Amino acid sequence: MAHTDHRTMRRVLRREIAGTIGLLTDEHDFRAMRRYRTFTFDDHALYLQQVEDLLKARAMQGTHTTVALFDPQEYAEYCTGRGLDPDIPAHRTRFTAELATTGPTIPYEGQPLADLLPALVDEAVRQATWEYAATLLARLGACATCGEDIGRAAFTRASDLVARILDTAPPGNRHLVCSVTGTPETLVAVLHADEEAEGATRLDEAEALEFTTVLALGLATQSPGGLVMRTTAHDTSDRIYGWRLRGDGLEPLTAGEVFDAYCTDVESGDLISPESNVDYCFPPELGPQGKTPGHHSH
């Protein structure tokens, strides 16, 4: 009887333990791990099937699982930096546990692995974009003229602009895209702002932080770029409008410029048929943007 009670308690406790699985999303990463003797899988498709079966089994037991992106190169560097043997499974587990707090992760909620994999890769790209933009912002340092931190001032300005864009937007769900092309790499950030039943706006904090950081970098470096928004609401046409980054502010795009941007193939330059039930518009007035003093880095 006591033995059964102990087994029951262990089963209950197992449900209380949240776990993280480090996933090798592509064939290249999978092959890199095969150099370790203790990594016993030899077929990537079969490996993914086994992972999906395990996720389903844990979910059926009521156990929460987070899926993390496992990067073999980062793992090798992690082991080298700590003097660990990478061919020991316990060290892979330790690395995965740290990924749960620092790396790109997605909670498993019963979705097919075919949906989870691209979402995990997107999350990794989003996090890398934010880290890169934040690093470039921090490197701008203090203004040589007034001593103000250029990156911090730009972030405050970008936050204010995003808030005004959302405040002046028509009701509905909003999908914003910001692209900055003047930095060494083109950076793109996306922000979803869904309207709740009572009119409040729901934002993903991490997504909003990345979006604001990319916009701030464009403003601080006065790089070419743009910001467009699509609003979707029940029983009305979608509305699309936007701005170009101009100096340290935003300049409205005309309805014609928005139409041209959406109805031209980026690769070929050929015209694309406009979508039905979509209005290409001039953006609402954001109010006085208040020219900030031009900062100069050292």
Side-chain angles (χ1 to χ4, degrees):
M1 180 66 182
H3 179 66
T4 306
D5 286 346
H6 282 302
R7 211 161 47 199
T8 303
M9 280 191 285
R10 275 202 301 271
R11 196 159 53 238
V12 170
L13 281 172
R14 199 174 292 127
R15 285 204 300 268
E16 300 290 325
I17 299 171
T20 303
I21 292 175
L23 187 62
L24 297 157
T25 56
D26 63 44
E27 189 79 43
H28 178 267
D29 286 349
F30 181 80
R31 280 201 303 271
M33 289 304 292
R34 289 197 59 204
R35 69 176 182 265
Y36 301 124
R37 181 184 52 80
T38 55
F39 186 79
T40 55
F41 294 96
D42 56 13
D43 180 275
H44 188 233
L46 183 61
Y47 158 83
L48 291 176
Q49 183 58 58
Q50 294 285 336
V51 169
E52 185 156 30
D53 290 347
L54 176 61
L55 289 169
K56 286 178 181 174
R58 285 174 60 85
M60 285 177 67
Q61 293 164 2
T63 305
H64 175 78
T65 311
T66 299
V67 182
L69 188 71
F70 194 103
D71 184 318
Q73 187 177 339
E74 283 184 16
Y75 172 61
E77 290 167 359
Y78 170 87
C79 289
T80 301
R82 288 162 179 75
L84 301 174
D85 179 355
D87 207 355
I88 294 178
H91 295 160
R92 291 199 286 275
T93 305
R94 181 171 154 185
F95 174 70
T96 301
E98 293 199 18
L99 279 182
T101 57
T102 60
T105 61
I106 297 269
Y108 176 70
E109 296 168 333
Q111 66 271 53
L113 214 56
D115 294 339
L116 191 147
L117 284 176
L120 187 57
V121 172
D122 286 349
E123 177 67 15
V125 170
R126 189 187 65 71
Q127 186 167 318
T129 299
W130 171 71
E131 289 173 354
Y132 180 66
T135 300
L136 292 182
L137 261 187
R139 282 185 190 159
L140 294 174
C143 175
T145 308
C146 71
E148 186 174 15
D149 186 297
I150 297 172
R152 191 172 298 131
F155 188 87
T156 301
R157 181 161 179 73
S159 301
D160 180 51
L161 287 170
V162 171
R164 284 196 239 172
I165 286 167
L166 293 176
D167 285 346
T168 56
N173 294 338
R174 299 85 178 234
H175 180 258
L176 294 84
V177 179
C178 179
S179 61
V180 175
T181 55
T183 52
E185 291 183 41
T186 296
L187 299 180
V188 178
V190 175
L191 177 61
H192 299 90
D194 294 339
E195 191 173 62
E196 308 274 66
E198 62 278 8
T201 299
R202 187 177 75 245
L203 294 174
D204 178 283
E205 285 185 22
E207 204 177 62
L209 176 62
E210 184 220 333
F211 188 90
T212 308
T213 303
V214 169
L215 176 58
L217 181 64
L219 297 175
T221 55
Q222 302 202 356
S223 299
L227 193 160
V228 292
M229 176 159 73
R230 182 178 191 136
T231 60
T232 305
H234 190 56
D235 289 339
T236 63
S237 300
D238 283 11
R239 299 182 65 183
I240 300 176
Y241 53 80
W243 300 261
R244 67 172 55 83
L245 271 61
R246 179 57 60 88
D248 60 357
L250 297 175
E251 180 180 274
L253 295 171
T254 66
E257 286 173 324
V258 177
F259 179 88
D260 288 345
Y262 269 82
C263 300
T264 305
D265 185 280
V266 176
E267 301 292 329
S268 66
D270 295 337
L271 288 176
I272 307 168
S273 298
E275 294 179 64
S276 57
N277 296 319
V278 171
D279 293 334
Y280 302 93
C281 327
F282 190 79
E285 179 60 51
L286 294 180
Q289 291 190 31
K291 296 301 286 179
T292 55
H295 290 296
H296 304 283
S297 55
H298 290 279

